Amino acid sequence: MDTKILSGLEASKALFDGLLSRIDNLKSNGITPGLAAVLVGENPASEIYVRNKTKKFESLGLKTDLFRLDSDVKESELLNLINDLNHNNDFHGILVQLPLPKHIDSEKVLNAITPTKDVDGFHPENAGLLSIGKPRFVPCTPKGIMYILNHFNIDLNGKHVVVIGRSNIVGRPISILSSLKSLGNATVTLCHSGTKDLKYFSKQADILVAALGSPEFVDASYIKKGACLVDVGINRIEKNGKSRIVGDVNQESVTGVASSLTPVPKGVGPMTIAMLVENTVLSAELLLN
Ligand code: GUN
């Protein structure tokens, strides 16, 4: 069986093409969508993620500012910055890159972002809206997964979606999105570190979402023939003295068994950035209504 590569570069380009006229419309109304990105400390991976996000905003002619804070910043100082950004009309979206240093209560910080600027979709108000089937800001990675599947005509309707990983950022929201009647209308199984006999479930998946954060964990023995694999992992590993990025799926092992897969890199990653732009545009558009 040929395994089709579902390119996140191709799908994100299609999304950006559609966003251009929305951005033009906002600009003709005097609004330039703006993102405030907040980075605390010097986590090398976070530096790269934030840089990729802000570069994309700049390339589209959107406003973006990066607010850097030292790793030992007081929680109250970070909360003050968020309060300022909540009231700053230049920014329609606020992103606090995770993870935060251990002395900071991440939940408190994310909850301090005003829900109408919460373009990450992590605030309980936005998480609640999603869970009752009225999504406003949906977390970027699961939203990007829905987009890429739709772009490549992978229909979830009536299919069995199995998700591995129950994080608030990916696993739980993708399980909700794919089960919503108006979106995926799939049957969903959410597996996690407490799941007994994971293979029993993963082998039933028509669409398997691997979001467990374990390098090349899913090999051919975990899947059924013809499954579509969505690889959310971004893991840095050392192999033969070289450092490289791999996903949660062992691409070599599943090639020829899966019908399609999102590669790492250039699969889900570009979709996450694309959806951050989409959410920021959406937030700016709320001002027009
Ligand atoms: N860290 C890993 N993924 C994400 C994300 O989607 N948003 C933020 N803010 N931090 C992250």
Side-chain angles (χ1 to χ4, degrees), residues 150-182:
N150 186 52
H151 177 83
F152 288 104
N153 298 316
I154 292 165
D155 187 13
L156 301 191
N157 190 2
K159 301 277 176 56
H160 190 182
V161 172
V162 177
V163 180
I164 313 177
R166 60 182 151 187
S167 72
N168 290 339
I169 298 182
V170 185
R172 188 165 291 107
I174 191 67
S175 69
I176 298 171
L177 283 168
S178 34
S179 70
L180 286 178
K181 191 169 186 179
S182 57

Side-chain angles (χ1 to χ4, degrees), residues 19 34 40 87 97 101 114 121 131 142 184 203 228 232 236 240 243 254 267 286:
L19 280 180
V40 184
H87 293 98
Q97 187 64 31
T114 194
S131 73
K203 278 169 138 337
C228 164
V232 184
R236 184 172 291 279
N240 307 326
S243 157
V254 301
L286 293 177

Side-chain angles (χ1 to χ4, degrees), residues 79 82 95-98 100 105-114 118 120 122-124:
L79 291 170
I82 290 172
L95 170 136
V96 177
Q97 187 64 31
L98 301 175
L100 289 170
D105 180 346
S106 302
E107 197 177 329
K108 197 165 165 188
V109 170
L110 296 177
N111 292 1
I113 298 173
T114 194
D118 170 39
D120 254 330
F122 296 159
H123 191 284

